[in-house]
Amino acid sequence: MQKTKQLHSTKRLKVGFIWGILLVLIAGLSVTAIAIGSARYSFSEVLNALFSGERSTAQTVVLSLRLPRVILALLIGACLSASGALLQAVMRNPLADPGTIGVSAGAGTMAITVLLIFPNLTFSLPLFAFLGAAFACFLIYSLAWKDGINPVRIILSGVAINSVLGGYNAFLQLMNSDNLSGVLAFMNGSLSGMSWTQVRVMVVYAILGLFLSILCVKNANALQLGDEMARNLGVKVNASRICLSAVAAFLAASTVSVVGMIGFVGLVVPHISRMLVGSDYKFMLPTCVLLGGVTLLFADTIGRTAIPGLEIPVGIIMSVFGGPFFLYMLRKKGKFNEN
């Protein structure tokens, strides 16, 4: 008993230390992202712009352009990571991710349809994005259902839905090739030009979605143990899968509606979080939230500053690094179902 308590105490200390490091990284990266760009500012100039109240060019750039972008990157990264972590619990597979199984594609398809065909409904984009993600989930579960839901069938159904929706999106862009300027930025997942308006919207979605994801921790841990064990613990397996998928869809759809399609965050971050703190969602999910913010802010800062005079959308940066990571995971596991 004493040994168990010591192990728990050691684990909590380790997790607390990791969370502390991640918070320091968030603070350091945030200041760095605010300071560098086409106009560079020193640390003292950044602090002066943030807290002095003195009107200057630096204050306009920092408060109106860079600070909203930093906050948005942290929120988007947190939501995508939490979404990926929940989907991996649902499917008991570390290769699950909102982008790879069709949830983000469903949200993106509805958003692109609105942008190209019904531009007068753009103000309702978040609602349509969520409906698209929910419909994609419904299709995935409908196709995967056969005397219950099997995680492997869910993934294969998701890949098929992703492919079909990708074809539809390509066709829609081909038919509207003269009106793609805004859609291309959306497809590549860009934080360029974001303001406090988008931050206020995303804060509401993030608070609601992340709160719901915390409520899913117990069921997420149970689903990891397998269907039979989860049922023995009193968990309604199919209902839990649907609830967790709905929360994951909400988190993914909210990010798509604000900044567009950003892939691989929900794949890479949960895996690294497991390596750091283990698979207990009580520790892993908060780690995902913090590490997701760090990852997306780092990727966006690289895309914004790597090539002077050219801004690379954060979605492209994540694809460049996330694609090889996905192949590494695929080769390491050797199969879709780790069980």
Side-chain angles (χ1 to χ4, degrees):
M1 190 69 173
Q2 186 66 27
K3 188 176 181 181
T4 303
K5 285 183 179 179
Q6 287 177 346
L7 287 173
H8 280 299
S9 177
T10 304
K11 176 71 179 286
R12 288 179 184 277
L13 283 173
K14 177 187 174 183
V15 171
F17 178 70
I18 290 170
W19 288 355
I21 290 176
L22 291 175
L23 288 170
V24 170
L25 282 174
I26 287 173
L29 268 176
S30 297
V31 173
T32 302
I34 290 172
I36 64 176
S38 54
R40 291 178 176 264
Y41 301 108
S42 66
F43 179 67
S44 60
E45 286 175 313
V46 170
L47 292 181
N48 191 55
L50 287 173
F51 302 113
S52 73
E54 235 177 73
R55 291 203 172 275
S56 63
T57 304
Q59 186 195 52
T60 301
V61 172
V62 168
L63 293 183
S64 300
L65 300 176
R66 293 185 184 172
L67 183 58
R69 185 165 179 161
V70 165
I71 295 172
L72 205 55
L74 294 172
L75 293 173
I76 296 290
C79 289
L80 285 173
S81 301
S83 178
L86 292 178
L87 288 174
Q88 289 175 14
V90 168
M91 300 171 193
R92 301 202 310 274
N93 194 302
L95 302 180
D97 162 76
T100 57
I101 70 161
V103 174
S104 292
T109 295
M110 284 297 287
I112 291 169
T113 301
V114 169
L115 289 171
L116 292 178
I117 301 179
F118 306 106
N120 57 315
L121 296 177
T122 303
F123 67 93
S124 298
L125 201 61
L127 173 63
F128 285 106
F130 175 69
L131 291 175
F135 183 63
C137 281
F138 172 76
L139 287 178
I140 291 166
Y141 277 94
S142 298
L143 293 171
W145 186 278
K146 186 179 179 183
D147 299 324
I149 296 175
N150 181 280
V152 177
R153 287 202 300 269
I154 294 177
I155 289 180
L156 295 177
S157 299
V159 171
I161 294 298
N162 204 11
S163 177
V164 171
L165 292 179
Y168 169 81
N169 291 342
F171 175 74
L172 204 59
Q173 292 174 63
L174 183 64
M175 297 299 292
N176 296 272
S177 56
D178 56 340
N179 189 29
L180 290 180
S181 56
V183 174
L184 289 177
F186 179 88
M187 291 295 293
N188 290 323
S190 175
L191 296 177
S192 178
M194 295 295 160
S195 67
W196 287 108
T197 301
Q198 286 81 17
V199 172
R200 283 190 286 269
V201 171
M202 196 62 223
V203 163
V204 175
Y205 293 147
I207 290 174
L208 178 58
L210 293 175
F211 173 74
L212 291 173
S213 68
I214 290 170
L215 297 180
C216 294
V217 163
K218 181 180 176 182
N219 286 349
N221 279 330
L223 289 177
Q224 289 190 107
L225 302 174
D227 291 3
E228 187 176 343
M229 182 66 74
R231 288 191 185 95
N232 291 337
L233 293 172
V235 174
K236 296 179 180 178
V237 173
N238 289 332
S240 294
R241 280 208 175 97
I242 291 170
C243 287
L244 265 67
S245 297
V247 175
F250 175 80
L251 286 164
S254 64
T255 66
V256 170
S257 68
V258 175
V259 299
M261 311 276 284
I262 299 176
F264 294 108
V265 180
L267 170 71
V268 173
V269 173
H271 178 71
I272 297 175
S273 297
R274 274 191 204 91
M275 292 172 62
L276 292 174
V277 300
S279 59
D280 185 347
Y281 272 69
K282 183 169 64 175
F283 301 120
M284 199 267 276
L285 192 63
T287 306
C288 279
V289 169
L290 295 173
L291 184 58
V294 169
T295 301
L296 201 69
L297 180 56
F298 181 68
D300 184 55
T301 304
I302 289 177
R304 187 167 57 83
T305 60
I307 304 176
L310 176 67
E311 183 169 315
I312 305 171
V314 65
I316 293 177
I317 297 294
M318 285 307 307
S319 295
V320 168
F321 291 102
F325 189 89
F326 180 83
L327 292 175
Y328 158 75
M329 285 293 297
L330 191 63
R331 187 171 181 83
K332 182 180 178 183
K333 293 298 175 185
K335 53 184 179 179
F336 277 113
N337 187 0
E338 66 178 342
N339 294 325

